[in-house]
Amino acid sequence: MTAEMTPLTARRTGPLQGRARVPGDKSISHRALILGAMTVGDTTVSGLLEGEDVLHTADVMRALGARLERGEDGVWHIHGVGVGGFMSPAAPLDFGNSGTGCRLVLGAVAGSPVTATFDGDASLRKRPMRRVLDPLEKMGARVIEAAEGGRLPLTLQGAADPVPITYESPVPSAQLKSAVLLAGLAAPGETTVIEAEASRDHTERLLKHFGAKIVSRPHGAHGRRITLQGQPELEPAPVLVPADPSSAAFPLVAALIVPGSELVLEAVMTNPLRTGLFTTLREMGANIEELEKRSDGGEEVADLRVRAGALKGVEVPAERAPAMIDEYPILAVAAACAEGVTRMKGLQELRVKESDRLAATADMLRANGVTVEIEGDDLIVHGKGRPAGGGEVVTHMDHRIAMSALVLGLVSENPVRIDDSAFIATSFPGFVDLMRGLGADLT
Ligand code: S3P
């Protein structure tokens, strides 16, 4: 990541057209590297997202003793060290901008007899880690040192003999759930996580794929109760990473709001715990077709055909938040281009993302002439068709704010400029070229 800011401007463009495949899913990519490193033997990963966040996780796995190599064909080869097989790294582990990498590896290290220092960039240093450290301490890990409130940089001593726990998660967070499950791999007996609202289940699916015994049952109206049998012998298995629906969201919304557009986005993961955005957009009147539905590497995928058309404002229920948590900034852009009011409810978790995304999303729209309110944890956007634009958006080291603002600029009356495009590479390397290839004016 360069220290210099790299501004970028998006201008109103003609119809977007063509086919594209967005990079691999970020959540699955992190997990494939971490779990591959915890098997004994060789795992191959195809379609890995080679964004900066995931590359940080790859370096971290190397520092913990696993061997990872990228073949010339783009397939990654991981030589794992097995559950409990990590070594103490010689230097602090650098997670860059990535909350997922950091929180998942906290869990993996908590169940290993090693000591490691965790660090990251200025954005990651602000993010809450206490929520993950609480259950990991119950399992026997010790925080040797941490910044105020348990934040990074922090040093964790993993448990030599981790204890299995039953943990009722106070926040709907797949990162928290995954940290407990990864620590539970090294504990004897059953580790259980109960969540009131189901979060993305890629850790559970991949653990099963690698041979662990893990059972997920419904809990209450929207939740799950997940039980992992500890100390499995994880078996290497090839992983195929499907295209990331959270990245597909940007060209997809662009195609919906730029008049006359039609795009096909290939092999997008349609795991129901990730597709809240598609549900919401369809409720708004969007034309999104799923073609060639298939199953690829344990996940459902489809080609998405998207056509531009009029959108109307809707109310988005709070219980849908976990299934579209990363998509609110781009949904807010769609809402600004719809007719009528969109109310997005229960967005408290947005305040602790790569930026305070609730405030950053509201500011992005306001800077471009859109009327927005924040009421408690709800975001309310007054849609009026075509926004005025003409604003400069402060991205706060947040890739999703950067990409959302650029999509807004493709349809606004006046250009939209972002202060820094560098962080887009954390999750979507090649975004600018891909969008230009479809017809976007980004300079
Ligand atoms: C992720 C979970 C979500 C999401 C993040 C990726 C994951 O965070 O925002 O981009 O891969 O587990 P939380 O689990 O903290 O909600």
Side-chain angles (χ1 to χ4, degrees), residues 49-61:
L49 165 65
E50 293 173 339
E52 287 171 8
D53 279 8
V54 175
L55 296 178
H56 277 291
T57 293
D59 283 342
V60 162
M61 288 299 116

Side-chain angles (χ1 to χ4, degrees), residues 25-28 30-31 100 103-104 127 131 172-178 199-200 202-203 246 274 322 325-326 349 352-354 357 399-400:
D25 186 68
K26 180 156 75 71
S27 295
I28 296 181
H30 283 294
R31 287 159 171 80
T100 307
R103 297 203 179 102
L104 267 54
R127 299 182 65 185
R131 52 174 62 187
S173 163
Q175 296 177 2
L176 173 48
K177 167 179 67 181
S178 301
S199 64
R200 65 192 69 194
H202 309 300
T203 302
S246 298
R274 294 289 298 281
I325 193 66
D326 291 335
E349 276 297 299
V352 292
K353 293 298 175 187
E354 285 81 333
R357 243 181 218 164
H399 53 134
R400 300 199 200 279

